Amino acid sequence: MCVRYNEPRSALFPRALRRARFGHPGLSSLAVLSILLAFLALSVSAEIAPASAFETSAKQAILIDEETGAILFEKNADAPFPPASMGMLMTLEVVFDALKTGKVRDDQTIRISEHAWRTGGAPSGGTTMFAELKSEVPIIDLVRGVIVHLAHDAAIALAEGLAGSEKQFATRMNARAKEIGLTGSTFVNPTGYDDVHQQVTARDMARLARHIIDTYPDRYPLFSLPDFTWNDIYQRNKNSLIPANFGVDGLMVGGANEHELGAVASAKRDGRRLILAFYGLGSKAEREKQAKALFNWGFESFGDVRLYAVDEVVGEARVFGGESLYVPLVGKGPIRAYMELASRKGYRARVAYEGPIRAPVKKGLRVGSLQITRNKIPVQSIPLYTARSVAVGGFIQRARDGLIEAIAKLWY
């Protein structure tokens, strides 16, 4: 299998500006059409700074649009760092998944072991919900302890209750991380601390946050709980970004030490939600300042741009053995991109699909995507679907396609 990106050959395909094809029908190859987005120029205020002008003191950072996944800003987004408390987001994902699939219940209790109590509870001196040794705590309260208190005893108890041990739970964490698409992160324990092999990336943490928000909308409001009392001990939510009043309503803060702080945060404004993951800030004040600046810039500098109307053809995919050579591709409804309003410089798009597609082809089949890049960096991928059905062609059509593919194989 070979994945290739090429411009179509106009000598072979007269309507080359709308089409791309290559590859043997028995292989999974990628056909791509490049499209300039120069027609997107709009009249906007010069006061809005272009993306390249924004800077942050964070060592690693990424800001994305929650709805589309569009990347608004990134800096060393794939450079690993220790997650600390932010690693408990992966712990919560595993627990949320178990709750959603019915493997456990909110009111199901977990016994606080001596290991959980001594390693993560009051004797440890770390962040804790002060669960008593050998007490039975409902899963939902342990979840609240993790979210509000960043409680190590709660995280360890959840790991032991769901998997038997921290080590076995870490195996489950990494399996789920792979399923979600976290490609640069490794989890070793449910608390996120004290292991050089436990590393995450800003890109993965933003992807994880988006997954949690989209997959568990009934659980996400837990992140904005202002406080939680357990064992008669009242504690406020340790996420200091929430009461800072610039739109943040959830997820987690953390840091390996007081000079290496970070956060995974989400903010909503005027119906639009952004997600930020960053690390490497020197103080809590700097973390708050940089988070506010990034969110404000993202909300003020970007907006929806309509690229195609409903059922407007974006491109065409090559069909093998069909009554027609190509099938038109459209979006599901109008196609919009979340883009910077002040500048279109550096934006490009291409239609990508695995092909050629074997006939018969059904209408509404998802076969590719409109991939948008900026300065060669991927920023958004929008699904594309077949606009009509294509029936199997006759002998002449199949012979024609076989000949075309044979020539194409020699050509490429």
Side-chain angles (χ1 to χ4, degrees), residues 181-249:
L182 311 189
T183 58
S185 300
T186 302
F187 300 93
V188 179
N189 59 54
T191 63
Y193 276 91
D194 300 330
D195 196 298
V196 295
H197 300 293
Q198 190 149 247
Q199 299 283 315
V200 299
T201 67
R203 191 183 310 280
D204 278 355
M205 296 308 285
R207 185 173 291 148
L208 174 59
R210 187 185 182 207
H211 166 80
I212 288 174
I213 293 168
D214 291 347
T215 310
Y216 314 108
D218 57 327
R219 303 290 178 181
Y220 181 69
L222 291 169
F223 287 96
S224 59
L225 288 173
D227 53 64
F228 180 53
T229 298
W230 189 260
N231 198 17
D232 295 326
I233 299 174
Y234 170 87
Q235 296 186 71
R236 293 186 180 278
N237 194 318
K238 286 183 167 56
N239 188 345
S240 59
L241 300 181
I242 293 176
N245 296 322
F246 54 87
V248 174
D249 60 6

Side-chain angles (χ1 to χ4, degrees), residues 159-352:
E160 292 178 335
L162 268 66
S165 69
E166 288 190 80
K167 184 176 181 180
Q168 290 174 313
F169 188 79
T171 299
R172 188 179 296 187
M173 292 173 74
N174 287 310
R176 282 295 294 165
K178 185 177 181 181
E179 292 174 16
I180 296 167
L182 311 189
T183 58
S185 300
T186 302
F187 300 93
V188 179
N189 59 54
T191 63
Y193 276 91
D194 300 330
D195 196 298
V196 295
H197 300 293
Q198 190 149 247
Q199 299 283 315
V200 299
T201 67
R203 191 183 310 280
D204 278 355
M205 296 308 285
R207 185 173 291 148
L208 174 59
R210 187 185 182 207
H211 166 80
I212 288 174
I213 293 168
D214 291 347
T215 310
Y216 314 108
D218 57 327
R219 303 290 178 181
Y220 181 69
L222 291 169
F223 287 96
S224 59
L225 288 173
D227 53 64
F228 180 53
T229 298
W230 189 260
N231 198 17
D232 295 326
I233 299 174
Y234 170 87
Q235 296 186 71
R236 293 186 180 278
N237 194 318
K238 286 183 167 56
N239 188 345
S240 59
L241 300 181
I242 293 176
N245 296 322
F246 54 87
V248 174
D249 60 6
L251 305 182
M252 286 187 162
V253 295
N257 56 64
E258 61 183 5
H259 303 298
E260 293 285 326
L261 301 179
V264 184
S266 180
K268 192 172 184 179
R269 190 181 300 176
D270 298 327
R272 174 70 63 176
R273 179 176 292 281
L274 303 183
I275 296 170
L276 168 66
F278 65 171
Y279 185 77
L281 285 308
S283 67
K284 291 181 180 179
E286 184 66 11
R287 177 170 61 190
E288 181 179 321
K289 176 183 177 182
Q290 291 298 309
K292 183 177 182 179
L294 276 159
F295 277 123
N296 284 343
W297 172 81
F299 283 120
E300 294 168 5
S301 301
F302 287 77
D304 280 315
V305 176
R306 194 178 81 165
L307 306 183
Y308 296 90
V310 176
D311 296 330
E312 183 177 355
V313 174
V314 179
E316 293 173 299
R318 174 77 168 85
V319 177
F320 181 85
E323 61 182 6
S324 61
L325 276 171
Y326 299 93
V327 60
L329 302 180
V330 298
K332 184 172 285 186
I335 293 181
R336 294 183 174 89
Y338 199 58
M339 306 174 71
E340 190 182 0
L341 299 175
S343 173
R344 296 292 178 272
K345 186 177 180 180
Y347 280 111
R348 295 178 69 91
R350 56 190 179 187
V351 172

